[in-house]
Amino acid sequence: MGDTVPDGAKPDDAVTHVLGIDSGGSGVRVAVARADAPGCSAEQPPAWSSSPTCSPPLTWSSATPATVGDRGIDAESLLARVLPAARELLREAGARHLGAVCVGAAGMATLGDDLRARLPDALADAFGVRRLALAADAVTAYAGALGQRPGAVVAAGTGLIALGAVPEGFVRELGGTYGESGTGGTSGTDATATGATATGTTATGGDTCWATGGWRRADGWGHLLGDCGGGAWIGRAGLEAAMRAYDGRAGGSKPLLARLEAVFGPATGLPGQLYPRPDRPAVLASFAPEVGRCAGEDPVAEAILRAAARHIAEAAEAVCPRLESSEVALTGGLFRMGAPLLTPVREELAARLPGVRVTEAAGDPLDGAMCVAAALAADGLRLPRDPALLSIV
């Protein structure tokens, strides 16, 4: 990274900047900001819009997702796009010192071997940065929603996953005592396999699932095995109800049948449209808004959303630590459906997690990557380390 800065930009060698990268199914995004900006707080989630004195981060985006090959997510193709974009953003920001980088990627836990092998050296060579966080997109979604506070985040779009965390410094609030291997915030189990990263200890008088802090995961197993309550799940249930109405079977919905025919054409042609598609989950999820539109006047559609709300609340309950300060944040495009889904979700959460505050996410996964990078630059990262979910280089 050179010392060239844009016209009107004043470099300041004392100012530290951070770089965030978000690689997801809908594309790749990059952001640069001062490490001390409100949206990069080591404690709080992003707050760009509420800060009258700080500009939002400089950003770049591409609608083309990262390439996935035999070695998982291809590091070379990702770097080929990210490095030039990052150099330009750093130049525009007048940045002379890059304190830390966080790369959040969908599939990091299971497809991130090439990223973990190649990104540290590549980013060090390009920018001289020695602090790097490699995170699953669920972790950056968590940080974007809650910062470094304890709680749970439910991310719902086409699919659904819930992730809970007890950051370092909060474990003792659980009211437990450590076992032999208890060290707050460390974890050693792949959450993709077990659903929990707290291992090896029990707590007395507290939440034993969280004896050593760490991460807990629920669902996110794809539309065939799970993602219960997500967009594809709701859409499939709505289409089934429509086909039941077409057949004259119990549980059918004529309003949903009408919406099926308006969107896809004749009901008998739906299997031929759906089954050959490689993007079947997305096609199913595209019908979820139709279920929401019908829910106000159709008891079948309303019942589908209430069932989805139960699944969403069950996932949150499974991962949320029992702390007075815990929060549950809802993030992802599915919740843009609004009241038809949010009202029963809030009712279910209140019943299952009484006293836990339910909030909308403060930011998205790119904001979360910036939050993690800023915390890392300031030696203030308290989110739990995990070999698959959040590793620090």
Side-chain angles (χ1 to χ4, degrees):
M1 180 178 66
D3 288 343
T4 303
V5 298
D7 293 340
K10 184 178 181 180
D12 186 344
D13 291 337
V15 173
T16 296
H17 286 73
V18 291
L19 173 66
I21 299 169
D22 172 49
S23 174
S26 59
V28 178
R29 298 182 297 161
V30 181
V32 168
R34 289 172 55 129
D36 58 356
C40 287
S41 165
E43 302 300 326
Q44 299 295 329
W48 307 109
S49 60
S50 63
S51 172
T53 60
C54 186
S55 299
L58 299 174
T59 61
W60 171 91
S61 64
S62 167
T64 304
T67 302
V68 178
D70 294 340
R71 297 188 61 189
I73 303 169
D74 185 67
E76 183 176 358
S77 64
L78 181 63
L79 288 166
R81 284 188 290 157
V82 163
L83 292 184
R87 288 191 183 98
E88 179 60 21
L89 293 177
L90 290 164
R91 189 193 70 82
E92 291 179 20
R96 290 280 181 82
H97 177 57
L98 188 59
V101 178
C102 175
V103 179
M108 179 70 80
T110 55
L111 300 172
D113 287 348
D114 197 36
L115 298 184
R116 283 185 281 268
R118 301 187 61 179
L119 260 56
D121 288 343
L123 291 169
D125 291 344
F127 305 122
V129 66
R130 300 299 175 186
R131 296 186 178 188
L132 170 64
L134 298 174
D137 61 336
V139 170
T140 51
Y142 183 101
L146 293 178
Q148 298 201 93
R149 303 197 302 274
V153 171
V154 180
T158 297
L160 183 141
I161 187 170
L163 198 66
V166 176
E168 295 175 10
F170 288 93
V171 175
R172 293 190 183 279
E173 292 184 24
L174 294 168
T177 58
Y178 293 104
E180 291 181 0
S181 63
T183 54
T186 20
S187 55
T189 303
D190 186 348
T192 64
T194 67
T197 62
T199 63
T201 66
T202 58
T204 303
D207 187 340
T208 57
C209 292
W210 290 102
T212 58
W215 298 98
R216 287 187 66 83
R217 163 186 170 162
D219 214 334
W221 304 122
H223 75 292
L224 293 178
L225 299 177
D227 286 356
C228 299
W233 187 96
I234 292 172
R236 195 214 63 82
L239 291 170
E240 179 190 343
M243 298 307 292
R244 284 177 172 274
Y246 179 83
D247 292 342
R249 290 180 289 151
S253 165
K254 290 184 178 180
L256 288 174
L257 176 59
R259 295 312 307 152
L260 180 159
E261 293 174 337
V263 174
F264 295 105
T268 53
L270 181 60
Q273 291 188 52
L274 179 62
Y275 294 145
R277 294 280 294 266
D279 58 343
R280 285 187 299 274
V283 176
L284 292 170
S286 72
F287 197 70
E290 304 298 338
V291 179
R293 294 185 185 101
C294 292
E297 58 186 30
D298 177 28
V300 174
E302 180 185 13
I304 290 171
L305 295 186
R306 287 202 169 273
R310 285 194 294 274
H311 286 305
I312 291 168
E314 287 169 356
E317 181 185 27
V319 303
C320 187
R322 304 307 193 263
L323 290 170
E324 290 184 4
S325 55
S326 286
E327 303 171 60
V328 173
L330 307 175
T331 186
L334 182 64
F335 294 114
R336 288 198 290 269
M337 186 182 296
L341 179 62
L342 284 174
T343 297
V345 165
R346 290 181 180 276
E347 290 172 355
E348 289 286 339
L349 287 171
R352 293 175 180 276
L353 294 169
V356 174
R357 187 165 74 93
V358 180
T359 181
E360 293 184 10
D364 63 16
L366 181 59
D367 297 313
M370 299 296 283
C371 178
V372 170
L376 187 60
D379 292 322
L381 184 61
R382 297 189 293 119
L383 293 176
R385 278 59 159 180
D386 181 274
L389 296 177
L390 178 60
S391 58
I392 307 302
V393 180

